[in-house]
Amino acid sequence: MRPMRITVCCTDTKIQRWLDGLRAALPEADVQEWRPGAAPADHAVVWAPPQQFLDEQQGLRALFNIGAGVDALMKLRLPPDALVVRLDDAGMSVQMAEFACHAVIRHFRELDGYERDVAQGKWTFRKPRSRADFPVGVLGLGVLGRRVAQALAAFEFPVRGWSRSAHAVAGVECFAGSGQFDDFLAGTRVLVNLLPLTPETENILDRRTLGRLRPGGYVINVARGAHLVDADLIALLDSGHLAGAALDVFRTEPLPAEHPFWRHPKIVVTPHTSARTLRDESIAQIAGKIRALERGEPVAGVVDRKKGY
Ligand code: NAP
Ligand code: GLV
């Protein structure tokens, strides 16, 4: 019997480290970087593969995406019978919680203002603000959103969350479905976006929805750039309805040099770094799942192709 074949097709310049790690974790397998015309593999480890890869590898049993978001993959023609498996935390949720809490607290405690003052040699105080005036709303209560909501609740912010199906999360007021979206928004001042990008959620952060946030709202987008209508955000910042935004993801990445987000005084830009794929954790998770699938066992993190996440 031939050994199990695993093909790796990703844009990571350090692909050799993925190959070495997978070979060490699965010594029984034949792990190779994909090349056009390669023999059919049983499992694939991918990030942003070309369509040619998928067309050639129609017999895959599973495609492991080395990220949490599968939006780019879902736009391609996938092998019809392959399971699509996303990274299931693998060290991302704690990073996302750190990042979101930092962004919320930086805004709430006016640390940006203190940084500006100190840079000018000013020893000034601002009046402490009340947490009750800063309800935080988390869009998406999945692997990352739930962890972020719980981390913010631990800092005693009033926290609310919105998801497609109903959830119960300790310390979080939960809303579900389009029928409760406006109520969720109306009680939110700081919005953290952790939705997957799907046809239903594309452009969801627009003039109408962001306009429903409480006055002085703040937007933290750590999900995907195409959730946000860029011009609508700028208009609401310039009108004063929104106080600011922390943006980690963009429609075009890297963010083009001429994009107004770079220079807007109320926007903080970071380069898609809020929750990085951690190679060792990811390899251990994927290797464990490949072994489970080979034993005929179910695995967590399987994408529902109809829902798109
Ligand atoms: P997840 O576990 O799939 O959770 C998605 C959540 O969104 C679920 O609660 C889901 O509701 C909800 N949702 C989906 N469609 C909805 C809709 N139409 N209306 C209302 N709620 C909806 O995803 P995750 O692991 O938390 O990751 C979320 C996203 O974060 C990823 O897709 C990716 O784009 C982004 N991300 C960004 C970075 C970064 O560095 N910036 C890193 C990792 C991930 P149900 O619970 O009812 O299904
Ligand atoms: C990063 O953005 C991911 O989806 O893992």
Side-chain angles (χ1 to χ4, degrees):
M1 202 172 86
R2 70 165 174 81
M4 169 173 58
R5 282 196 201 119
I6 299 173
T7 181
V8 181
C9 180
C10 73
T11 49
D12 189 339
T13 51
K14 303 210 172 71
I15 188 166
Q16 189 58 45
R17 298 196 188 163
W18 285 92
L19 295 167
D20 294 346
L22 285 162
R23 284 175 186 143
L26 294 162
E28 70 277 26
D30 175 14
V31 181
Q32 300 295 336
E33 180 177 359
W34 176 74
R35 303 263 179 236
D42 304 300
H43 301 281
V45 176
V46 301
W47 182 256
Q51 184 61 54
Q52 184 187 358
F53 166 83
L54 297 163
D55 290 343
E56 287 189 12
Q57 295 287 332
Q58 285 288 304
L60 286 170
R61 293 208 277 279
L63 266 163
F64 290 89
N65 186 56
I66 54 177
V70 290
D71 44 290
L73 206 49
M74 299 314 282
K75 289 191 182 125
L76 300 169
R77 272 187 321 280
L78 301 174
D81 300 323
L83 286 182
V84 178
V85 188
R86 42 71 55 94
L87 276 187
D88 188 15
D89 196 335
M92 280 190 183
S93 73
V94 66
Q95 296 178 70
M96 198 52 102
E98 283 165 357
F99 191 95
C101 288
H102 172 267
V104 171
I105 291 168
R106 184 168 191 273
H107 172 61
F108 170 66
R109 294 293 304 269
E110 301 187 81
L111 297 178
D112 47 351
Y114 280 110
E115 279 165 20
R116 282 194 300 274
D117 291 353
V118 166
Q120 293 168 29
K122 287 191 198 156
W123 184 275
T124 47
F125 291 106
R126 291 173 160 73
K127 186 166 173 278
R129 309 206 277 195
S130 162
R131 279 174 164 63
D133 293 336
F134 280 81
V136 185
V138 181
L139 289 170
L141 287 174
V143 174
L144 303 182
R146 174 179 290 249
R147 177 82 184 250
V148 164
Q150 288 172 324
L152 288 161
F155 281 109
E156 300 180 13
F157 288 100
V159 182
R160 36 184 45 218
W162 184 69
S163 51
R164 178 201 287 266
S165 57
H167 288 268
V169 183
V172 178
E173 189 181 356
C174 293
F175 298 75
S178 50
Q180 294 185 358
F181 191 36
D182 283 357
D183 285 347
F184 162 84
L185 292 169
T188 293
R189 177 148 173 194
V190 181
L191 186 71
V192 182
N193 178 32
L194 274 165
L195 290 169
L197 181 63
T198 67
E200 280 178 36
T201 64
E202 189 166 358
N203 298 323
I204 193 166
L205 304 180
D206 64 6
R207 192 182 292 260
R208 189 196 82 82
T209 54
L210 297 179
R212 288 193 170 263
L213 296 178
R214 285 169 59 158
Y218 194 83
V219 177
I220 300 169
N221 189 17
V222 277
R224 286 291 182 265
H227 285 128
L228 176 68
V229 179
D230 297 1
D232 290 2
L233 175 74
I234 289 179
L236 289 165
L237 289 169
D238 291 347
S239 75
H241 179 70
L242 295 178
L247 306 177
D248 186 53
V249 287
F250 306 92
R251 283 176 184 267
T252 306
E253 295 183 1
L255 183 64
E258 66 282 6
H259 198 290
F261 285 169
W262 281 113
R263 284 167 295 280
H264 198 288
K266 294 182 179 172
I267 293 178
V268 178
V269 166
T270 48
H272 199 144
T273 195
S274 49
R276 306 286 295 272
T277 292
L278 302 179
R279 195 184 312 111
D280 292 350
E281 283 85 340
S282 304
I283 288 172
Q285 182 175 103
I286 291 168
K289 289 184 181 182
I290 288 177
R291 288 225 170 94
L293 290 176
E294 290 294 314
R295 290 192 300 268
E297 295 167 9
V299 296
V302 174
V303 170
D304 179 331
R305 291 198 190 195
K306 283 207 192 81
K307 287 189 194 159
Y309 68 95

